[in-house]
Amino acid sequence: MPAAPVPLSARPVHEARALVGESPLWDAREGLLWWTDIPRGELHGFDPATGRDALRAVFPGPLSAVALRASGGLLLALGDTLAGYRPERGGEPEPLARVRLPGPDQRLNDGRCDPEGRFWVGGMSTAGASGAAALHRLDGTSLTTELTGVSISNGLDWSPDGRLAYYADSPTREVAVYDRTGPALRRTGTLARVTDGVPDGLTVDAEGGVWVALFGGYAVHRYLPDGTLAAVVEVPAAKVTSCAFGGPALETLYLTTASRGLTGAELREQPLAGSLFACAPGVRGLPAHAFAG
């Protein structure tokens, strides 16, 4: 009989009322955890050494994903545009590529760099259209569409050896497993099927465990590569949007949450909705890959 999942709990480290907090990213160069509030176009930097969060930039459009850039600074997903940005310099982002989205109700959503330094980013319909989006890959300035028929492209990360990709198209309620050793992604199975909430952002730890944020589920789940539910992080906010390891030793799991769409009563019941949380899970994460372009 499989062991019961380890119960864990998250604590607030920065109390905020983000509409849709997203894309937590540890930057060892700066000693900061970057994260965004998508609809407000806000880029935040949280310093765990001081416990302070600073609003570093505001952009005129949705800021859905952030990645490190090997040449310095960050790569941003802004609406339909992928752009370089130097937070220490400010100014305007440097457009690198524009994604041709199928309609005006589409925008880019979650994204992450792979071990080869390529940035993967998917889209979604803000009107709720099903199967209208796609998953794209930016290699330098070359953009390739890797998957089509996507509804809400969310969590994506790689196994420690880089051979597998874990991916969540949220409305499917599944975390899919893909083989990435060939020229194209090839689906090989399903890691987990979610019943409480829907899978949103995810991250892989150094032992190969997959941590999945459950939007609407008040939790983050850790799955072993064989699909066993190994740990459950309870979060005092329903809409958990993403997770990432951070801190100097990558021993802290940071979680972003959302408050948009909650009723007045729900907001009173969830005063920390939209805040940034942290958990000590007992395992370490992996360093974030940087965009090589």
PDB file of all heavy atoms in Angstrom, residues 4-11 205 211 218-222 230-236 245 251 253 255 278-283:
ATOM      1  N   ALA A   4       1.095   7.482   2.582  1.00  0.00           N
ATOM      2  CA  ALA A   4       0.291   8.697   2.463  1.00  0.00           C
ATOM      3  C   ALA A   4       1.198   9.863   2.086  1.00  0.00           C
ATOM      4  O   ALA A   4       2.370   9.911   2.488  1.00  0.00           O
ATOM      5  CB  ALA A   4      -0.411   8.975   3.786  1.00  0.00           C
ATOM      6  N   PRO A   5       0.692  10.810   1.296  1.00  0.00           N
ATOM      7  CA  PRO A   5       1.525  11.963   0.932  1.00  0.00           C
ATOM      8  C   PRO A   5       1.924  12.780   2.155  1.00  0.00           C
ATOM      9  O   PRO A   5       1.160  12.899   3.117  1.00  0.00           O
ATOM     10  CB  PRO A   5       0.622  12.768  -0.011  1.00  0.00           C
ATOM     11  CG  PRO A   5      -0.770  12.286   0.263  1.00  0.00           C
ATOM     12  CD  PRO A   5      -0.637  10.863   0.683  1.00  0.00           C
ATOM     13  N   VAL A   6       3.130  13.310   2.129  1.00  0.00           N
ATOM     14  CA  VAL A   6       3.643  14.128   3.228  1.00  0.00           C
ATOM     15  C   VAL A   6       2.872  15.439   3.281  1.00  0.00           C
ATOM     16  O   VAL A   6       2.776  16.148   2.266  1.00  0.00           O
ATOM     17  CB  VAL A   6       5.141  14.406   3.037  1.00  0.00           C
ATOM     18  CG1 VAL A   6       5.665  15.351   4.117  1.00  0.00           C
ATOM     19  CG2 VAL A   6       5.929  13.103   3.034  1.00  0.00           C
ATOM     20  N   PRO A   7       2.287  15.795   4.432  1.00  0.00           N
ATOM     21  CA  PRO A   7       1.580  17.077   4.523  1.00  0.00           C
ATOM     22  C   PRO A   7       2.561  18.222   4.789  1.00  0.00           C
ATOM     23  O   PRO A   7       3.422  18.129   5.676  1.00  0.00           O
ATOM     24  CB  PRO A   7       0.638  16.867   5.712  1.00  0.00           C
ATOM     25  CG  PRO A   7       1.349  15.864   6.586  1.00  0.00           C
ATOM     26  CD  PRO A   7       2.137  14.982   5.654  1.00  0.00           C
ATOM     27  N   LEU A   8       2.441  19.282   4.031  1.00  0.00           N
ATOM     28  CA  LEU A   8       3.264  20.476   4.184  1.00  0.00           C
ATOM     29  C   LEU A   8       2.347  21.694   4.208  1.00  0.00           C
ATOM     30  O   LEU A   8       1.178  21.622   3.806  1.00  0.00           O
ATOM     31  CB  LEU A   8       4.262  20.600   3.024  1.00  0.00           C
ATOM     32  CG  LEU A   8       5.259  19.449   2.843  1.00  0.00           C
ATOM     33  CD1 LEU A   8       5.966  19.571   1.504  1.00  0.00           C
ATOM     34  CD2 LEU A   8       6.286  19.441   3.983  1.00  0.00           C
ATOM     35  N   SER A   9       2.869  22.817   4.652  1.00  0.00           N
ATOM     36  CA  SER A   9       2.064  24.038   4.663  1.00  0.00           C
ATOM     37  C   SER A   9       2.900  25.208   4.173  1.00  0.00           C
ATOM     38  O   SER A   9       4.128  25.226   4.320  1.00  0.00           O
ATOM     39  CB  SER A   9       1.518  24.326   6.063  1.00  0.00           C
ATOM     40  OG  SER A   9       2.569  24.484   6.995  1.00  0.00           O
ATOM     41  N   ALA A  10       2.221  26.166   3.563  1.00  0.00           N
ATOM     42  CA  ALA A  10       2.880  27.360   3.036  1.00  0.00           C
ATOM     43  C   ALA A  10       2.591  28.550   3.939  1.00  0.00           C
ATOM     44  O   ALA A  10       1.488  28.670   4.496  1.00  0.00           O
ATOM     45  CB  ALA A  10       2.387  27.644   1.624  1.00  0.00           C
ATOM     46  N   ARG A  11       3.571  29.419   4.072  1.00  0.00           N
ATOM     47  CA  ARG A  11       3.420  30.633   4.877  1.00  0.00           C
ATOM     48  C   ARG A  11       3.562  31.850   3.971  1.00  0.00           C
ATOM     49  O   ARG A  11       4.326  31.820   2.991  1.00  0.00           O
ATOM     50  CB  ARG A  11       4.467  30.686   5.984  1.00  0.00           C
ATOM     51  CG  ARG A  11       5.874  30.935   5.459  1.00  0.00           C
ATOM     52  CD  ARG A  11       6.948  30.860   6.526  1.00  0.00           C
ATOM     53  NE  ARG A  11       8.224  31.374   6.057  1.00  0.00           N
ATOM     54  CZ  ARG A  11       9.073  30.709   5.287  1.00  0.00           C
ATOM     55  NH1 ARG A  11       8.773  29.495   4.865  1.00  0.00           N
ATOM     56  NH2 ARG A  11      10.217  31.259   4.928  1.00  0.00           N
ATOM     57  N   ASP A 205      11.969  19.178  -9.067  1.00  0.00           N
ATOM     58  CA  ASP A 205      13.053  19.285  -8.093  1.00  0.00           C
ATOM     59  C   ASP A 205      14.250  18.420  -8.496  1.00  0.00           C
ATOM     60  O   ASP A 205      14.215  17.694  -9.503  1.00  0.00           O
ATOM     61  CB  ASP A 205      12.557  18.963  -6.676  1.00  0.00           C
ATOM     62  CG  ASP A 205      12.063  17.534  -6.490  1.00  0.00           C
ATOM     63  OD1 ASP A 205      12.686  16.605  -7.042  1.00  0.00           O
ATOM     64  OD2 ASP A 205      11.053  17.327  -5.782  1.00  0.00           O
ATOM     65  N   TRP A 211       6.311  19.303  -8.884  1.00  0.00           N
ATOM     66  CA  TRP A 211       5.436  20.093  -8.020  1.00  0.00           C
ATOM     67  C   TRP A 211       4.458  20.863  -8.898  1.00  0.00           C
ATOM     68  O   TRP A 211       4.871  21.643  -9.759  1.00  0.00           O
ATOM     69  CB  TRP A 211       6.256  21.048  -7.173  1.00  0.00           C
ATOM     70  CG  TRP A 211       7.239  20.355  -6.270  1.00  0.00           C
ATOM     71  CD1 TRP A 211       8.457  19.841  -6.611  1.00  0.00           C
ATOM     72  CD2 TRP A 211       7.081  20.089  -4.870  1.00  0.00           C
ATOM     73  NE1 TRP A 211       9.071  19.273  -5.528  1.00  0.00           N
ATOM     74  CE2 TRP A 211       8.246  19.408  -4.440  1.00  0.00           C
ATOM     75  CE3 TRP A 211       6.075  20.366  -3.937  1.00  0.00           C
ATOM     76  CZ2 TRP A 211       8.431  19.011  -3.124  1.00  0.00           C
ATOM     77  CZ3 TRP A 211       6.259  19.966  -2.622  1.00  0.00           C
ATOM     78  CH2 TRP A 211       7.423  19.299  -2.223  1.00  0.00           C
ATOM     79  N   TYR A 218      -6.386  25.129  -3.552  1.00  0.00           N
ATOM     80  CA  TYR A 218      -5.784  25.452  -2.257  1.00  0.00           C
ATOM     81  C   TYR A 218      -4.518  24.645  -2.000  1.00  0.00           C
ATOM     82  O   TYR A 218      -4.196  24.345  -0.843  1.00  0.00           O
ATOM     83  CB  TYR A 218      -6.759  25.166  -1.108  1.00  0.00           C
ATOM     84  CG  TYR A 218      -7.924  26.111  -0.964  1.00  0.00           C
ATOM     85  CD1 TYR A 218      -9.125  25.842  -1.602  1.00  0.00           C
ATOM     86  CD2 TYR A 218      -7.845  27.247  -0.147  1.00  0.00           C
ATOM     87  CE1 TYR A 218     -10.223  26.675  -1.448  1.00  0.00           C
ATOM     88  CE2 TYR A 218      -8.933  28.091   0.016  1.00  0.00           C
ATOM     89  CZ  TYR A 218     -10.118  27.801  -0.639  1.00  0.00           C
ATOM     90  OH  TYR A 218     -11.193  28.634  -0.487  1.00  0.00           O
ATOM     91  N   ALA A 219      -3.767  24.270  -3.026  1.00  0.00           N
ATOM     92  CA  ALA A 219      -2.658  23.349  -2.765  1.00  0.00           C
ATOM     93  C   ALA A 219      -1.648  23.325  -3.900  1.00  0.00           C
ATOM     94  O   ALA A 219      -1.909  23.781  -5.020  1.00  0.00           O
ATOM     95  CB  ALA A 219      -3.192  21.929  -2.542  1.00  0.00           C
ATOM     96  N   VAL A 220      -0.485  22.751  -3.578  1.00  0.00           N
ATOM     97  CA  VAL A 220       0.508  22.307  -4.545  1.00  0.00           C
ATOM     98  C   VAL A 220       0.742  20.832  -4.280  1.00  0.00           C
ATOM     99  O   VAL A 220       0.901  20.418  -3.125  1.00  0.00           O
ATOM    100  CB  VAL A 220       1.832  23.097  -4.414  1.00  0.00           C
ATOM    101  CG1 VAL A 220       2.906  22.496  -5.307  1.00  0.00           C
ATOM    102  CG2 VAL A 220       1.623  24.571  -4.741  1.00  0.00           C
ATOM    103  N   HIS A 221       0.749  20.016  -5.322  1.00  0.00           N
ATOM    104  CA  HIS A 221       1.008  18.586  -5.191  1.00  0.00           C
ATOM    105  C   HIS A 221       2.396  18.256  -5.722  1.00  0.00           C
ATOM    106  O   HIS A 221       2.812  18.805  -6.748  1.00  0.00           O
ATOM    107  CB  HIS A 221      -0.010  17.763  -5.988  1.00  0.00           C
ATOM    108  CG  HIS A 221      -1.347  17.666  -5.342  1.00  0.00           C
ATOM    109  ND1 HIS A 221      -2.396  16.964  -5.896  1.00  0.00           N
ATOM    110  CD2 HIS A 221      -1.819  18.168  -4.168  1.00  0.00           C
ATOM    111  CE1 HIS A 221      -3.448  17.037  -5.098  1.00  0.00           C
ATOM    112  NE2 HIS A 221      -3.127  17.773  -4.051  1.00  0.00           N
ATOM    113  N   ARG A 222       3.076  17.327  -5.035  1.00  0.00           N
ATOM    114  CA  ARG A 222       4.330  16.773  -5.547  1.00  0.00           C
ATOM    115  C   ARG A 222       4.084  15.338  -6.005  1.00  0.00           C
ATOM    116  O   ARG A 222       3.605  14.499  -5.228  1.00  0.00           O
ATOM    117  CB  ARG A 222       5.432  16.781  -4.490  1.00  0.00           C
ATOM    118  CG  ARG A 222       6.766  16.233  -5.028  1.00  0.00           C
ATOM    119  CD  ARG A 222       7.801  16.048  -3.938  1.00  0.00           C
ATOM    120  NE  ARG A 222       9.110  15.736  -4.505  1.00  0.00           N
ATOM    121  CZ  ARG A 222       9.843  14.675  -4.159  1.00  0.00           C
ATOM    122  NH1 ARG A 222       9.403  13.805  -3.250  1.00  0.00           N
ATOM    123  NH2 ARG A 222      11.016  14.467  -4.715  1.00  0.00           N
ATOM    124  N   ALA A 230       3.236  12.298  -3.636  1.00  0.00           N
ATOM    125  CA  ALA A 230       4.193  12.153  -2.541  1.00  0.00           C
ATOM    126  C   ALA A 230       4.070  13.227  -1.475  1.00  0.00           C
ATOM    127  O   ALA A 230       4.469  13.007  -0.327  1.00  0.00           O
ATOM    128  CB  ALA A 230       5.620  12.157  -3.095  1.00  0.00           C
ATOM    129  N   ALA A 231       3.551  14.398  -1.823  1.00  0.00           N
ATOM    130  CA  ALA A 231       3.430  15.481  -0.841  1.00  0.00           C
ATOM    131  C   ALA A 231       2.320  16.431  -1.267  1.00  0.00           C
ATOM    132  O   ALA A 231       2.048  16.588  -2.469  1.00  0.00           O
ATOM    133  CB  ALA A 231       4.750  16.240  -0.697  1.00  0.00           C
ATOM    134  N   VAL A 232       1.701  17.049  -0.274  1.00  0.00           N
ATOM    135  CA  VAL A 232       0.654  18.045  -0.510  1.00  0.00           C
ATOM    136  C   VAL A 232       0.969  19.273   0.320  1.00  0.00           C
ATOM    137  O   VAL A 232       1.091  19.186   1.549  1.00  0.00           O
ATOM    138  CB  VAL A 232      -0.738  17.506  -0.141  1.00  0.00           C
ATOM    139  CG1 VAL A 232      -1.785  18.611  -0.255  1.00  0.00           C
ATOM    140  CG2 VAL A 232      -1.118  16.328  -1.034  1.00  0.00           C
ATOM    141  N   VAL A 233       1.133  20.415  -0.340  1.00  0.00           N
ATOM    142  CA  VAL A 233       1.349  21.685   0.342  1.00  0.00           C
ATOM    143  C   VAL A 233       0.007  22.396   0.441  1.00  0.00           C
ATOM    144  O   VAL A 233      -0.597  22.747  -0.577  1.00  0.00           O
ATOM    145  CB  VAL A 233       2.349  22.584  -0.413  1.00  0.00           C
ATOM    146  CG1 VAL A 233       2.604  23.862   0.378  1.00  0.00           C
ATOM    147  CG2 VAL A 233       3.642  21.850  -0.697  1.00  0.00           C
ATOM    148  N   GLU A 234      -0.465  22.624   1.644  1.00  0.00           N
ATOM    149  CA  GLU A 234      -1.715  23.354   1.840  1.00  0.00           C
ATOM    150  C   GLU A 234      -1.435  24.852   1.799  1.00  0.00           C
ATOM    151  O   GLU A 234      -0.479  25.338   2.409  1.00  0.00           O
ATOM    152  CB  GLU A 234      -2.343  22.971   3.170  1.00  0.00           C
ATOM    153  CG  GLU A 234      -2.804  21.525   3.235  1.00  0.00           C
ATOM    154  CD  GLU A 234      -3.508  21.201   4.533  1.00  0.00           C
ATOM    155  OE1 GLU A 234      -3.550  22.066   5.428  1.00  0.00           O
ATOM    156  OE2 GLU A 234      -4.030  20.078   4.648  1.00  0.00           O
ATOM    157  N   VAL A 235      -2.283  25.570   1.063  1.00  0.00           N
ATOM    158  CA  VAL A 235      -2.116  27.013   0.862  1.00  0.00           C
ATOM    159  C   VAL A 235      -3.417  27.702   1.260  1.00  0.00           C
ATOM    160  O   VAL A 235      -4.488  27.277   0.830  1.00  0.00           O
ATOM    161  CB  VAL A 235      -1.786  27.327  -0.614  1.00  0.00           C
ATOM    162  CG1 VAL A 235      -1.478  28.814  -0.789  1.00  0.00           C
ATOM    163  CG2 VAL A 235      -0.617  26.474  -1.104  1.00  0.00           C
ATOM    164  N   PRO A 236      -3.364  28.764   2.071  1.00  0.00           N
ATOM    165  CA  PRO A 236      -4.590  29.449   2.487  1.00  0.00           C
ATOM    166  C   PRO A 236      -5.134  30.412   1.434  1.00  0.00           C
ATOM    167  O   PRO A 236      -5.589  31.511   1.744  1.00  0.00           O
ATOM    168  CB  PRO A 236      -4.154  30.175   3.764  1.00  0.00           C
ATOM    169  CG  PRO A 236      -2.718  30.477   3.546  1.00  0.00           C
ATOM    170  CD  PRO A 236      -2.167  29.294   2.770  1.00  0.00           C
ATOM    171  N   PHE A 245      11.503  26.852  -7.019  1.00  0.00           N
ATOM    172  CA  PHE A 245      12.468  26.807  -5.933  1.00  0.00           C
ATOM    173  C   PHE A 245      13.359  28.044  -5.988  1.00  0.00           C
ATOM    174  O   PHE A 245      13.711  28.538  -7.069  1.00  0.00           O
ATOM    175  CB  PHE A 245      13.316  25.547  -6.026  1.00  0.00           C
ATOM    176  CG  PHE A 245      12.600  24.311  -5.582  1.00  0.00           C
ATOM    177  CD1 PHE A 245      11.839  23.570  -6.471  1.00  0.00           C
ATOM    178  CD2 PHE A 245      12.664  23.907  -4.258  1.00  0.00           C
ATOM    179  CE1 PHE A 245      11.163  22.433  -6.062  1.00  0.00           C
ATOM    180  CE2 PHE A 245      11.990  22.770  -3.825  1.00  0.00           C
ATOM    181  CZ  PHE A 245      11.234  22.028  -4.731  1.00  0.00           C
ATOM    182  N   GLU A 251      16.376  25.671  -1.539  1.00  0.00           N
ATOM    183  CA  GLU A 251      15.683  24.810  -0.582  1.00  0.00           C
ATOM    184  C   GLU A 251      14.291  25.322  -0.228  1.00  0.00           C
ATOM    185  O   GLU A 251      13.580  24.671   0.553  1.00  0.00           O
ATOM    186  CB  GLU A 251      16.515  24.681   0.698  1.00  0.00           C
ATOM    187  CG  GLU A 251      17.828  23.936   0.500  1.00  0.00           C
ATOM    188  CD  GLU A 251      18.667  23.865   1.753  1.00  0.00           C
ATOM    189  OE1 GLU A 251      18.584  24.812   2.574  1.00  0.00           O
ATOM    190  OE2 GLU A 251      19.403  22.874   1.923  1.00  0.00           O
ATOM    191  N   LEU A 253      10.479  26.491  -1.546  1.00  0.00           N
ATOM    192  CA  LEU A 253       9.516  26.463  -2.629  1.00  0.00           C
ATOM    193  C   LEU A 253       8.628  27.699  -2.501  1.00  0.00           C
ATOM    194  O   LEU A 253       7.932  27.871  -1.490  1.00  0.00           O
ATOM    195  CB  LEU A 253       8.664  25.197  -2.571  1.00  0.00           C
ATOM    196  CG  LEU A 253       7.670  25.003  -3.722  1.00  0.00           C
ATOM    197  CD1 LEU A 253       8.403  24.717  -5.028  1.00  0.00           C
ATOM    198  CD2 LEU A 253       6.680  23.883  -3.399  1.00  0.00           C
ATOM    199  N   LEU A 255       5.497  30.104  -3.921  1.00  0.00           N
ATOM    200  CA  LEU A 255       4.214  29.907  -4.580  1.00  0.00           C
ATOM    201  C   LEU A 255       3.565  31.257  -4.852  1.00  0.00           C
ATOM    202  O   LEU A 255       3.518  32.130  -3.985  1.00  0.00           O
ATOM    203  CB  LEU A 255       3.263  29.083  -3.695  1.00  0.00           C
ATOM    204  CG  LEU A 255       3.848  27.950  -2.856  1.00  0.00           C
ATOM    205  CD1 LEU A 255       2.789  27.383  -1.924  1.00  0.00           C
ATOM    206  CD2 LEU A 255       4.390  26.865  -3.758  1.00  0.00           C
ATOM    207  N   ALA A 278       5.732  30.769   0.790  1.00  0.00           N
ATOM    208  CA  ALA A 278       6.933  29.929   0.769  1.00  0.00           C
ATOM    209  C   ALA A 278       6.700  28.695   1.617  1.00  0.00           C
ATOM    210  O   ALA A 278       5.878  28.683   2.542  1.00  0.00           O
ATOM    211  CB  ALA A 278       8.144  30.697   1.283  1.00  0.00           C
ATOM    212  N   CYS A 279       7.450  27.645   1.293  1.00  0.00           N
ATOM    213  CA  CYS A 279       7.355  26.370   1.984  1.00  0.00           C
ATOM    214  C   CYS A 279       8.749  25.751   2.030  1.00  0.00           C
ATOM    215  O   CYS A 279       9.541  25.930   1.096  1.00  0.00           O
ATOM    216  CB  CYS A 279       6.383  25.458   1.228  1.00  0.00           C
ATOM    217  SG  CYS A 279       6.320  23.747   1.810  1.00  0.00           S
ATOM    218  N   ALA A 280       9.044  25.026   3.128  1.00  0.00           N
ATOM    219  CA  ALA A 280      10.298  24.279   3.234  1.00  0.00           C
ATOM    220  C   ALA A 280       9.974  22.814   2.958  1.00  0.00           C
ATOM    221  O   ALA A 280       9.542  22.086   3.855  1.00  0.00           O
ATOM    222  CB  ALA A 280      10.909  24.448   4.614  1.00  0.00           C
ATOM    223  N   PRO A 281      10.178  22.329   1.729  1.00  0.00           N
ATOM    224  CA  PRO A 281       9.683  21.007   1.357  1.00  0.00           C
ATOM    225  C   PRO A 281      10.608  19.847   1.691  1.00  0.00           C
ATOM    226  O   PRO A 281      10.224  18.686   1.539  1.00  0.00           O
ATOM    227  CB  PRO A 281       9.512  21.126  -0.153  1.00  0.00           C
ATOM    228  CG  PRO A 281      10.591  22.078  -0.563  1.00  0.00           C
ATOM    229  CD  PRO A 281      10.729  23.055   0.577  1.00  0.00           C
ATOM    230  N   GLY A 282      11.855  20.124   2.082  1.00  0.00           N
ATOM    231  CA  GLY A 282      12.778  19.049   2.408  1.00  0.00           C
ATOM    232  C   GLY A 282      13.541  18.490   1.221  1.00  0.00           C
ATOM    233  O   GLY A 282      14.285  17.522   1.366  1.00  0.00           O
ATOM    234  N   VAL A 283      13.369  19.079   0.056  1.00  0.00           N
ATOM    235  CA  VAL A 283      14.159  18.724  -1.131  1.00  0.00           C
ATOM    236  C   VAL A 283      14.616  20.023  -1.789  1.00  0.00           C
ATOM    237  O   VAL A 283      14.067  21.092  -1.535  1.00  0.00           O
ATOM    238  CB  VAL A 283      13.358  17.873  -2.148  1.00  0.00           C
ATOM    239  CG1 VAL A 283      12.997  16.521  -1.556  1.00  0.00           C
ATOM    240  CG2 VAL A 283      12.102  18.613  -2.603  1.00  0.00           C
TER     241      VAL A 283
END
